[in-house]
Amino acid sequence: MWLTSILDKVEGCVVLSKRVRGFSRERELARILYKHGFAVLRAPASGAKTRRLVYPDIVAIKNGVVLVFEVKTREKPSTIYIDKRQFMKLQDFIYRSGGHGFIAVKIMDGRGWRFVPVELVEETRGGNYRVSMEAIEKGYTLRDLVKLCDKTRSLTEWLEK
Amino acid sequence: MWLTSILDKVEGCVVLSKRVRGFSRERELARILYKHGFAVLRAPASGAKTRRLVYPDIVAIKNGVVLVFEVKTREKPSTIYIDKRQFMKLQDFIYRSGGHGFIAVKIMDGRGWRFVPVELVEETRGGNYRVSMEAIEKGYTLRDLVKLCDKTRSLTEWLEK
């Protein structure tokens, strides 16, 4: 946190600042999910961007329920564009794992986290992908997400009895 | 592979060689699981040893079935000792995820992979953990492991219908 604040005040550090903030948000979400009883895996922060394309930002597992996240940060709700290759990798991971995929957006104006299911991600004309401002505003809150997981878990437990 | 071979021939590189070989085995197992349709996550290879303690070596997920692995390499079957803190972290991850945990041992004398369920790991008098030579020899083969997963998956699918 303090590192982010200092970097924000230094001109010329905007890019690094954004990157640090990105990792910081991933860590924040990872901690929240861990506190809610999930086993949590974060993609390696080190290495080149190409290496990061291989893994989703966060994978959280609890009792067979698998949540897969790409994490984004925005000052206020605005359209988010996602690189085609990155989105394809994410979809492949979701398909293989049988998990639920979300674009996790931390909105910095005080609104906090919004989770947009990947099913609501739209393809652009150029073949890339985008999450609309409306989808972000209507996205699940953290509370919704936790409820959803507990519901899914109960259903799985009930079925396994 | 070639790097491992070269390093094996250079005296004084034994430790590095073992480390490279370890990562190489993890990559091998990750590839096998990927080919069998799993979503696969490997622990970050970079960073200090302490950082590696946080994550299992490999986590593989398919349709809600979660497999968690610590990977070891041995020239031939022999008792394997596991650090207490590392084993506790592994157990915590297995418990949270609801997954199945294995010590994956690649035996280099031609026998290939053996998978010992964590339930067969014994506590030593000193409070650390060990996998006996017998447990390794009787461990699941790769074929057993794949069968086990397909069986678990069919059961889950059947229950969900």
Side-chain angles (χ1 to χ4, degrees):
Chain A
M1 290 299 283
W2 60 270
L3 183 60
T4 315
S5 310
I6 291 169
L7 288 172
D8 277 345
K9 285 171 194 155
V10 180
E11 273 190 67
C13 279
V14 179
V15 176
L16 180 59
S17 166
K18 270 192 179 172
R19 217 178 147 204
V20 170
R21 193 187 291 155
F23 291 146
S24 158
R25 291 306 146 225
E26 287 176 30
R27 197 161 48 234
E28 180 191 317
L29 182 56
R31 276 191 195 150
I32 293 169
L33 291 161
Y34 188 86
K35 277 187 188 166
H36 278 93
F38 281 86
V40 183
L41 291 154
R42 285 174 61 209
S46 58
K49 205 189 164 190
T50 45
R51 219 184 122 195
R52 294 196 30 95
L53 281 177
V54 179
Y55 291 139
D57 288 333
I58 295 180
V59 178
I61 319 165
K62 189 174 170 183
N63 210 0
V65 175
V66 181
L67 305 183
V68 186
F69 300 95
E70 278 298 321
V71 179
K72 304 284 179 187
T73 306
R74 288 294 180 275
E75 291 303 324
K76 52 183 185 174
S78 61
T79 306
I80 289 174
Y81 291 89
I82 305 167
D83 172 75
K84 182 181 180 169
R85 211 151 55 99
Q86 189 173 27
F87 193 66
M88 290 291 109
K89 284 276 176 193
L90 182 70
Q91 286 284 45
D92 179 58
F93 193 95
I94 294 163
Y95 175 76
R96 286 172 170 266
S97 65
H100 307 278
F102 297 93
I103 310 300
V105 190
K106 171 84 178 201
I107 309 167
M108 305 300 286
D109 65 358
R111 274 182 259 204
W113 289 98
R114 287 293 182 280
F115 301 92
V116 181
V118 287
E119 292 78 7
L120 297 184
V121 175
E122 302 160 4
E123 198 173 347
T124 65
R125 282 188 196 173
N128 287 311
Y129 291 85
R130 112 182 119 209
V131 191
S132 71
M133 205 170 77
E134 293 71 33
I136 295 168
E137 282 176 333
K138 288 181 186 168
Y140 292 124
T141 62
L142 200 54
R143 185 183 286 235
D144 295 334
L145 190 78
V146 171
K147 263 192 201 167
L148 184 80
C149 295
D150 285 338
K151 206 173 153 189
T152 313
R153 194 159 56 99
S154 308
L155 186 68
T156 314
E157 276 170 1
W158 181 79
L159 282 165
E160 280 174 352
K161 268 175 192 163
Chain B
M1 289 300 284
W2 60 270
L3 184 60
T4 315
S5 312
I6 291 168
L7 288 172
D8 276 347
K9 285 170 195 157
V10 180
E11 273 190 67
C13 280
V14 180
V15 175
L16 180 58
S17 166
K18 272 192 178 172
R19 218 178 146 204
V20 170
R21 195 187 290 154
F23 291 145
S24 158
R25 292 303 147 229
E26 287 176 30
R27 196 161 49 231
E28 181 190 318
L29 182 56
R31 276 191 196 152
I32 294 168
L33 292 161
Y34 188 86
K35 277 187 188 168
H36 279 94
F38 281 86
V40 183
L41 291 155
R42 284 174 62 210
S46 58
K49 206 187 165 192
T50 45
R51 219 185 121 193
R52 291 194 37 92
L53 282 177
V54 179
Y55 291 140
D57 288 333
I58 295 179
V59 178
I61 319 165
K62 189 174 169 182
N63 211 357
V65 175
V66 181
L67 306 183
V68 186
F69 299 96
E70 278 299 321
V71 179
K72 305 283 179 187
T73 306
R74 288 295 180 272
E75 292 302 324
K76 52 184 186 175
S78 61
T79 307
I80 289 174
Y81 292 90
I82 304 167
D83 173 74
K84 182 182 180 170
R85 212 152 55 99
Q86 189 174 27
F87 193 66
M88 289 292 109
K89 283 275 176 193
L90 183 69
Q91 287 285 44
D92 179 58
F93 194 95
I94 295 163
Y95 175 75
R96 285 171 170 266
S97 65
H100 307 278
F102 297 94
I103 310 299
V105 190
K106 170 84 178 202
I107 310 167
M108 306 299 287
D109 65 359
R111 274 182 260 203
W113 289 98
R114 287 292 182 280
F115 301 91
V116 182
V118 287
E119 292 78 7
L120 298 183
V121 174
E122 302 160 4
E123 198 172 347
T124 65
R125 282 187 196 172
N128 287 312
Y129 291 85
R130 108 182 123 210
V131 190
S132 72
M133 204 170 77
E134 293 72 31
I136 295 169
E137 282 176 333
K138 289 182 186 168
Y140 292 123
T141 62
L142 199 55
R143 187 184 285 236
D144 295 334
L145 190 77
V146 171
K147 263 192 202 167
L148 184 79
C149 294
D150 284 338
K151 208 172 151 189
T152 313
R153 194 160 56 100
S154 306
L155 187 66
T156 315
E157 276 171 1
W158 182 79
L159 281 165
E160 280 175 352
K161 267 174 192 164

PDB file of all heavy atoms in Angstrom, chain B residues 104-121:
ATOM      1  N   ALA B 104       4.186 -37.431  -5.603  1.00  0.00           N
ATOM      2  CA  ALA B 104       4.478 -38.010  -6.918  1.00  0.00           C
ATOM      3  C   ALA B 104       5.974 -38.269  -6.993  1.00  0.00           C
ATOM      4  O   ALA B 104       6.768 -37.339  -6.879  1.00  0.00           O
ATOM      5  CB  ALA B 104       4.050 -37.039  -8.014  1.00  0.00           C
ATOM      6  N   VAL B 105       6.360 -39.549  -7.151  1.00  0.00           N
ATOM      7  CA  VAL B 105       7.783 -39.896  -7.172  1.00  0.00           C
ATOM      8  C   VAL B 105       8.148 -40.425  -8.551  1.00  0.00           C
ATOM      9  O   VAL B 105       7.577 -41.421  -9.017  1.00  0.00           O
ATOM     10  CB  VAL B 105       8.113 -40.966  -6.102  1.00  0.00           C
ATOM     11  CG1 VAL B 105       9.634 -41.131  -5.978  1.00  0.00           C
ATOM     12  CG2 VAL B 105       7.496 -40.613  -4.757  1.00  0.00           C
ATOM     13  N   LYS B 106       9.085 -39.752  -9.197  1.00  0.00           N
ATOM     14  CA  LYS B 106       9.589 -40.261 -10.471  1.00  0.00           C
ATOM     15  C   LYS B 106      10.821 -41.112 -10.163  1.00  0.00           C
ATOM     16  O   LYS B 106      11.830 -40.594  -9.657  1.00  0.00           O
ATOM     17  CB  LYS B 106       9.968 -39.099 -11.393  1.00  0.00           C
ATOM     18  CG  LYS B 106      10.723 -39.510 -12.643  1.00  0.00           C
ATOM     19  CD  LYS B 106       9.796 -39.944 -13.766  1.00  0.00           C
ATOM     20  CE  LYS B 106      10.578 -40.303 -15.006  1.00  0.00           C
ATOM     21  NZ  LYS B 106       9.795 -40.243 -16.234  1.00  0.00           N
ATOM     22  N   ILE B 107      10.733 -42.409 -10.428  1.00  0.00           N
ATOM     23  CA  ILE B 107      11.862 -43.307 -10.179  1.00  0.00           C
ATOM     24  C   ILE B 107      12.628 -43.462 -11.484  1.00  0.00           C
ATOM     25  O   ILE B 107      12.066 -43.873 -12.507  1.00  0.00           O
ATOM     26  CB  ILE B 107      11.381 -44.667  -9.630  1.00  0.00           C
ATOM     27  CG1 ILE B 107      10.425 -44.425  -8.451  1.00  0.00           C
ATOM     28  CG2 ILE B 107      12.574 -45.513  -9.172  1.00  0.00           C
ATOM     29  CD1 ILE B 107       9.659 -45.638  -8.017  1.00  0.00           C
ATOM     30  N   MET B 108      13.923 -43.137 -11.410  1.00  0.00           N
ATOM     31  CA  MET B 108      14.719 -42.969 -12.625  1.00  0.00           C
ATOM     32  C   MET B 108      15.317 -44.277 -13.155  1.00  0.00           C
ATOM     33  O   MET B 108      16.050 -44.258 -14.131  1.00  0.00           O
ATOM     34  CB  MET B 108      15.839 -41.942 -12.380  1.00  0.00           C
ATOM     35  CG  MET B 108      15.356 -40.602 -11.842  1.00  0.00           C
ATOM     36  SD  MET B 108      14.226 -39.760 -12.983  1.00  0.00           S
ATOM     37  CE  MET B 108      15.385 -39.248 -14.242  1.00  0.00           C
ATOM     38  N   ASP B 109      15.016 -45.408 -12.482  1.00  0.00           N
ATOM     39  CA  ASP B 109      15.594 -46.673 -12.952  1.00  0.00           C
ATOM     40  C   ASP B 109      14.717 -47.339 -14.019  1.00  0.00           C
ATOM     41  O   ASP B 109      14.899 -48.510 -14.343  1.00  0.00           O
ATOM     42  CB  ASP B 109      15.817 -47.636 -11.766  1.00  0.00           C
ATOM     43  CG  ASP B 109      14.513 -48.063 -11.103  1.00  0.00           C
ATOM     44  OD1 ASP B 109      13.431 -47.601 -11.549  1.00  0.00           O
ATOM     45  OD2 ASP B 109      14.553 -48.862 -10.156  1.00  0.00           O
ATOM     46  N   GLY B 110      13.741 -46.599 -14.530  1.00  0.00           N
ATOM     47  CA  GLY B 110      12.895 -47.133 -15.589  1.00  0.00           C
ATOM     48  C   GLY B 110      11.480 -47.444 -15.117  1.00  0.00           C
ATOM     49  O   GLY B 110      10.584 -47.666 -15.926  1.00  0.00           O
ATOM     50  N   ARG B 111      11.279 -47.425 -13.811  1.00  0.00           N
ATOM     51  CA  ARG B 111       9.944 -47.743 -13.288  1.00  0.00           C
ATOM     52  C   ARG B 111       8.939 -46.615 -13.496  1.00  0.00           C
ATOM     53  O   ARG B 111       7.740 -46.823 -13.429  1.00  0.00           O
ATOM     54  CB  ARG B 111      10.047 -48.079 -11.789  1.00  0.00           C
ATOM     55  CG  ARG B 111      10.377 -49.545 -11.566  1.00  0.00           C
ATOM     56  CD  ARG B 111      10.431 -49.870 -10.107  1.00  0.00           C
ATOM     57  NE  ARG B 111      11.808 -49.914  -9.646  1.00  0.00           N
ATOM     58  CZ  ARG B 111      12.201 -50.578  -8.564  1.00  0.00           C
ATOM     59  NH1 ARG B 111      11.316 -51.219  -7.827  1.00  0.00           N
ATOM     60  NH2 ARG B 111      13.460 -50.574  -8.205  1.00  0.00           N
ATOM     61  N   GLY B 112       9.455 -45.423 -13.686  1.00  0.00           N
ATOM     62  CA  GLY B 112       8.561 -44.292 -13.960  1.00  0.00           C
ATOM     63  C   GLY B 112       7.889 -43.723 -12.717  1.00  0.00           C
ATOM     64  O   GLY B 112       8.433 -43.803 -11.621  1.00  0.00           O
ATOM     65  N   TRP B 113       6.692 -43.195 -12.896  1.00  0.00           N
ATOM     66  CA  TRP B 113       5.979 -42.493 -11.821  1.00  0.00           C
ATOM     67  C   TRP B 113       5.285 -43.429 -10.850  1.00  0.00           C
ATOM     68  O   TRP B 113       4.712 -44.437 -11.249  1.00  0.00           O
ATOM     69  CB  TRP B 113       4.930 -41.556 -12.421  1.00  0.00           C
ATOM     70  CG  TRP B 113       5.506 -40.367 -13.116  1.00  0.00           C
ATOM     71  CD1 TRP B 113       5.705 -40.228 -14.461  1.00  0.00           C
ATOM     72  CD2 TRP B 113       5.972 -39.160 -12.514  1.00  0.00           C
ATOM     73  NE1 TRP B 113       6.263 -39.006 -14.730  1.00  0.00           N
ATOM     74  CE2 TRP B 113       6.442 -38.324 -13.558  1.00  0.00           C
ATOM     75  CE3 TRP B 113       6.050 -38.689 -11.196  1.00  0.00           C
ATOM     76  CZ2 TRP B 113       6.960 -37.049 -13.322  1.00  0.00           C
ATOM     77  CZ3 TRP B 113       6.576 -37.425 -10.968  1.00  0.00           C
ATOM     78  CH2 TRP B 113       7.023 -36.616 -12.017  1.00  0.00           C
ATOM     79  N   ARG B 114       5.356 -43.062  -9.571  1.00  0.00           N
ATOM     80  CA  ARG B 114       4.527 -43.697  -8.548  1.00  0.00           C
ATOM     81  C   ARG B 114       3.852 -42.590  -7.736  1.00  0.00           C
ATOM     82  O   ARG B 114       4.502 -41.592  -7.397  1.00  0.00           O
ATOM     83  CB  ARG B 114       5.369 -44.560  -7.592  1.00  0.00           C
ATOM     84  CG  ARG B 114       5.880 -45.850  -8.195  1.00  0.00           C
ATOM     85  CD  ARG B 114       4.741 -46.843  -8.492  1.00  0.00           C
ATOM     86  NE  ARG B 114       5.257 -48.091  -9.026  1.00  0.00           N
ATOM     87  CZ  ARG B 114       5.611 -48.281 -10.292  1.00  0.00           C
ATOM     88  NH1 ARG B 114       5.514 -47.301 -11.169  1.00  0.00           N
ATOM     89  NH2 ARG B 114       6.058 -49.456 -10.688  1.00  0.00           N
ATOM     90  N   PHE B 115       2.549 -42.772  -7.434  1.00  0.00           N
ATOM     91  CA  PHE B 115       1.784 -41.751  -6.717  1.00  0.00           C
ATOM     92  C   PHE B 115       1.316 -42.309  -5.379  1.00  0.00           C
ATOM     93  O   PHE B 115       0.512 -43.237  -5.333  1.00  0.00           O
ATOM     94  CB  PHE B 115       0.604 -41.291  -7.566  1.00  0.00           C
ATOM     95  CG  PHE B 115       1.034 -40.722  -8.892  1.00  0.00           C
ATOM     96  CD1 PHE B 115       1.147 -41.529 -10.021  1.00  0.00           C
ATOM     97  CD2 PHE B 115       1.389 -39.381  -8.993  1.00  0.00           C
ATOM     98  CE1 PHE B 115       1.579 -41.002 -11.239  1.00  0.00           C
ATOM     99  CE2 PHE B 115       1.823 -38.846 -10.203  1.00  0.00           C
ATOM    100  CZ  PHE B 115       1.917 -39.660 -11.330  1.00  0.00           C
ATOM    101  N   VAL B 116       1.848 -41.728  -4.308  1.00  0.00           N
ATOM    102  CA  VAL B 116       1.499 -42.199  -2.960  1.00  0.00           C
ATOM    103  C   VAL B 116       0.479 -41.231  -2.354  1.00  0.00           C
ATOM    104  O   VAL B 116       0.789 -40.041  -2.181  1.00  0.00           O
ATOM    105  CB  VAL B 116       2.756 -42.272  -2.059  1.00  0.00           C
ATOM    106  CG1 VAL B 116       2.397 -42.796  -0.685  1.00  0.00           C
ATOM    107  CG2 VAL B 116       3.838 -43.128  -2.716  1.00  0.00           C
ATOM    108  N   PRO B 117      -0.728 -41.714  -2.019  1.00  0.00           N
ATOM    109  CA  PRO B 117      -1.723 -40.823  -1.398  1.00  0.00           C
ATOM    110  C   PRO B 117      -1.179 -40.267  -0.077  1.00  0.00           C
ATOM    111  O   PRO B 117      -0.510 -40.996   0.658  1.00  0.00           O
ATOM    112  CB  PRO B 117      -2.914 -41.755  -1.126  1.00  0.00           C
ATOM    113  CG  PRO B 117      -2.714 -42.935  -2.023  1.00  0.00           C
ATOM    114  CD  PRO B 117      -1.233 -43.089  -2.173  1.00  0.00           C
ATOM    115  N   VAL B 118      -1.457 -39.009   0.208  1.00  0.00           N
ATOM    116  CA  VAL B 118      -0.915 -38.389   1.429  1.00  0.00           C
ATOM    117  C   VAL B 118      -1.355 -39.114   2.701  1.00  0.00           C
ATOM    118  O   VAL B 118      -0.689 -39.019   3.723  1.00  0.00           O
ATOM    119  CB  VAL B 118      -1.296 -36.884   1.558  1.00  0.00           C
ATOM    120  CG1 VAL B 118      -0.522 -36.043   0.569  1.00  0.00           C
ATOM    121  CG2 VAL B 118      -2.784 -36.666   1.427  1.00  0.00           C
ATOM    122  N   GLU B 119      -2.448 -39.853   2.621  1.00  0.00           N
ATOM    123  CA  GLU B 119      -2.917 -40.604   3.783  1.00  0.00           C
ATOM    124  C   GLU B 119      -1.890 -41.655   4.210  1.00  0.00           C
ATOM    125  O   GLU B 119      -1.911 -42.129   5.352  1.00  0.00           O
ATOM    126  CB  GLU B 119      -4.258 -41.304   3.471  1.00  0.00           C
ATOM    127  CG  GLU B 119      -5.444 -40.358   3.285  1.00  0.00           C
ATOM    128  CD  GLU B 119      -5.481 -39.659   1.919  1.00  0.00           C
ATOM    129  OE1 GLU B 119      -4.662 -39.991   1.039  1.00  0.00           O
ATOM    130  OE2 GLU B 119      -6.327 -38.761   1.757  1.00  0.00           O
ATOM    131  N   LEU B 120      -0.995 -42.052   3.299  1.00  0.00           N
ATOM    132  CA  LEU B 120       0.016 -43.062   3.623  1.00  0.00           C
ATOM    133  C   LEU B 120       1.351 -42.447   4.063  1.00  0.00           C
ATOM    134  O   LEU B 120       2.319 -43.164   4.321  1.00  0.00           O
ATOM    135  CB  LEU B 120       0.246 -43.992   2.419  1.00  0.00           C
ATOM    136  CG  LEU B 120      -0.976 -44.813   1.963  1.00  0.00           C
ATOM    137  CD1 LEU B 120      -0.588 -45.733   0.820  1.00  0.00           C
ATOM    138  CD2 LEU B 120      -1.547 -45.628   3.118  1.00  0.00           C
ATOM    139  N   VAL B 121       1.401 -41.125   4.149  1.00  0.00           N
ATOM    140  CA  VAL B 121       2.617 -40.462   4.638  1.00  0.00           C
ATOM    141  C   VAL B 121       2.644 -40.595   6.164  1.00  0.00           C
ATOM    142  O   VAL B 121       1.628 -40.385   6.828  1.00  0.00           O
ATOM    143  CB  VAL B 121       2.640 -38.974   4.210  1.00  0.00           C
ATOM    144  CG1 VAL B 121       3.825 -38.252   4.834  1.00  0.00           C
ATOM    145  CG2 VAL B 121       2.679 -38.867   2.695  1.00  0.00           C
TER     146      VAL B 121
END
